[in-house]
Amino acid sequence: MAGQIVYKIATLGSHSALQILKGAKDEGFKTLCIATSDRISLYSRFKFIDKILEIETFSDFPKIQKKLIAEKAIIIPHGSFVAYLGIDENKKMTVLYFGNKKVLDWESDRLKQREWMEKAGVPVPKKFTDASQIDRPVIVKSYGAAGGHGYFFAKNKREFAIRMKNFKAKKYLIQEYVIGVPLYIHYFYSPISRKLEILSIDKRYETNVDSLGRIPSQNQQGLGIEPSFVVVGNIPLTLRESLLAEAFEMGERVVATSKKLMDGGIWGPFCLETIITPEQKFSIIEISCRIVAGTNLYVSGSPYSVLYYDREVSTGRRIAMEIKEAIKKGKLKKILN
Ligand code: AMP
Ligand code: AMP
């Protein structure tokens, strides 16, 4: 296909780059990886990466934009784009970018994100604006924290006050700690077909919270262990089928509401981070408005993606499929920024 040959799919060498570029190659695109010097050896191992552009540090990304534009590259953003370049750099990017940049402001501001979820009618944990009102276990999240760094847990108001003394963040959110199991739902919304898919689901492996149960509580006493939520990996999961309908409906409401709140709304991959209580109630703790690393489990497809496609479709490949379809229909502008 002529259009497809012209465009190349590119991303930063980090996070979910391997999945994205493998998927792009499987769909027939030429692929580009922008990698820091220390990662060239990693990315040159894979034959689905056609070209590697070297930068010294991630913050040098803007310096190679001209080159990327000349290559007709379409950038696929992932977790490292916001983590290492910041939102302003993302917004300033002039190279073709898959997704709606208007979503960035809504995602990065924890209060706006909450407003979005509330307007969409999805259940969210209780929020405490005044510490004196704390009446249950809470988790405190600093603004801008990612991957579970910069959080603390407090069992009650008293513990909260003690922990706050050592907490350096100026802006933070006090949220009810929902007792239940975490489950991350990977969606894909196609602005071309106007359909929402659940492509896969994972749970995170977080240190040390996921190992505390290995030591009985009586043996933990006196050790002074504090729960932390630093993600180091992901575990595959399927959802009890009776909860799947609600998972779709929540995703659909989030998409519909985004169209009212931000010009164009959200499209492409996103993830609802949920906790499910013993009463089988979802609580949405966060939305990630791009491909999440948990999708790396499913480079060769998932128990869900196979229900739509008779081939191995990862989220990375699904993005390339959408771009291909948009090119075919002359709608590429609609899905890029
Ligand atoms: P890295 O590629 O490990 O440098 O991570 C880039 C960004 O993505 C950081 O903000 C990480 O916290 C986040 N991240 C990386 N891997 C994961 C993961 N498996 N689950 C959730 N977040 C992740
Ligand atoms: P987040 O950065 O919001 O994805 O949170 C990182 C981790 O902290 C999650 O994967 C959960 O293990 C935990 N967590 C965050 N918010 C809550 C909450 N309200 N209740 C229980 N656990 C939470």
Side-chain angles (χ1 to χ4, degrees):
M1 211 194 326
Q4 199 182 331
I5 292 166
V6 171
Y7 293 100
K8 293 177 184 154
I9 302 260
T11 198
L12 272 183
S14 179
H15 191 270
S16 46
L18 291 170
Q19 181 202 156
I20 291 169
L21 299 177
K22 167 82 168 69
K25 192 68 177 181
D26 287 342
E27 288 301 310
F29 286 95
K30 287 257 189 255
T31 58
L32 268 173
C33 181
I34 303 116
T36 49
S37 318
D38 55 327
R39 298 199 190 172
I40 302 287
S41 87
L42 168 66
Y43 291 102
S44 40
R45 285 165 206 268
F46 304 100
K47 61 180 190 303
F48 55 84
I49 300 175
D50 293 310
K51 195 168 179 178
I52 299 176
L53 296 176
E54 185 170 348
I55 50 177
E56 246 173 65
T57 65
F58 286 119
S59 54
D60 286 333
F61 178 80
K63 291 187 191 160
I64 55 148
Q65 281 215 71
K66 269 199 187 135
K67 238 188 218 169
L68 290 169
I69 293 169
E71 293 268 10
K72 283 217 171 260
I74 298 173
I75 285 284
I76 313 298
H78 53 56
S80 294
F81 280 73
V82 171
Y84 300 135
L85 298 177
I87 330 194
D88 289 338
E89 259 334 307
N90 274 266
K91 284 196 206 159
K92 275 196 266 170
M93 228 181 262
T94 48
V95 52
L96 298 172
Y97 176 104
F98 177 77
N100 187 356
K101 288 186 189 171
K102 299 217 172 62
V103 172
L104 290 169
D105 286 324
W106 283 85
E107 183 196 21
S108 61
D109 181 330
R110 289 197 190 271
L111 296 178
K112 283 184 104 161
Q113 194 180 111
R114 192 178 171 92
E115 183 190 335
W116 177 7
M117 295 305 113
E118 281 174 351
K119 286 197 165 139
V122 298
V124 288
K126 192 174 162 56
K127 180 187 82 183
F128 296 93
T129 35
D130 185 345
S132 69
Q133 290 166 350
I134 295 174
D135 61 356
R136 62 192 79 188
V138 292
I139 181 163
V140 181
K141 305 177 176 184
S142 58
Y143 276 47
H149 279 279
Y151 293 180
F152 76 79
F153 168 83
K155 180 160 80 193
N156 50 34
K157 202 188 304 183
R158 223 189 98 237
E159 220 176 77
F160 170 85
I162 296 168
R163 302 263 144 85
M164 270 319 276
K165 290 185 188 145
N166 297 319
F167 195 54
K168 297 200 177 63
K170 287 207 175 66
K171 284 185 90 181
Y172 55 84
L173 183 86
I174 312 169
Q175 200 175 67
E176 162 189 14
Y177 186 89
V178 184
I179 310 279
V181 289
L183 183 120
Y184 287 61
I185 309 169
H186 316 145
Y187 296 90
F188 187 93
Y189 177 68
S190 161
I192 307 282
S193 70
R194 295 174 171 265
K195 285 205 179 94
L196 181 76
E197 293 160 1
I198 288 177
L199 287 181
S200 47
I201 300 175
D202 79 301
K203 72 174 199 164
R204 287 183 178 174
Y205 198 40
E206 295 169 342
T207 179
N208 58 15
V209 76
D210 286 324
S211 73
L212 295 184
R214 290 161 55 100
I215 307 171
S217 64
Q218 73 265 23
N219 297 91
Q220 283 188 38
Q221 269 166 26
L223 289 179
I225 300 172
E226 295 292 340
S228 61
F229 303 89
V230 179
V231 59
V232 291
N234 305 79
I235 303 165
L237 206 85
T238 56
L239 181 60
R240 193 168 165 167
E241 195 155 307
S242 50
L243 287 170
L244 206 51
E246 195 179 344
F248 272 105
E249 283 157 20
M250 288 192 305
E252 271 156 1
R253 292 205 299 276
V254 164
V255 171
T257 307
S258 74
K259 290 182 185 173
K260 291 184 197 147
L261 295 177
M262 46 209 106
D263 194 16
I266 189 169
W267 68 74
F270 68 96
C271 172
L272 289 184
E273 308 187 351
T274 78
I275 310 270
I276 308 176
T277 67
E279 295 74 36
Q280 295 190 62
K281 296 270 180 262
F282 282 100
S283 198
I284 310 303
I285 54 172
E286 206 165 292
I287 179 171
S288 279
C289 300
R290 63 189 62 71
I291 185 169
V292 290
T295 60
N296 285 341
L297 288 162
Y298 305 106
V299 173
S300 56
S302 86
Y304 295 104
S305 71
V306 75
L307 301 175
Y308 311 100
Y309 304 103
D310 287 322
R311 55 189 192 281
E312 299 180 337
V313 175
S314 65
T315 293
R317 185 165 185 180
R318 183 64 188 84
I319 295 169
M321 286 159 62
E322 189 75 2
I323 294 173
K324 203 161 137 181
E325 187 66 10
I327 293 169
K328 199 166 102 193
K329 296 201 158 137
K331 289 187 173 169
L332 192 57
K333 271 207 181 122
K334 192 179 158 85
I335 64 165
L336 303 180
N337 258 195

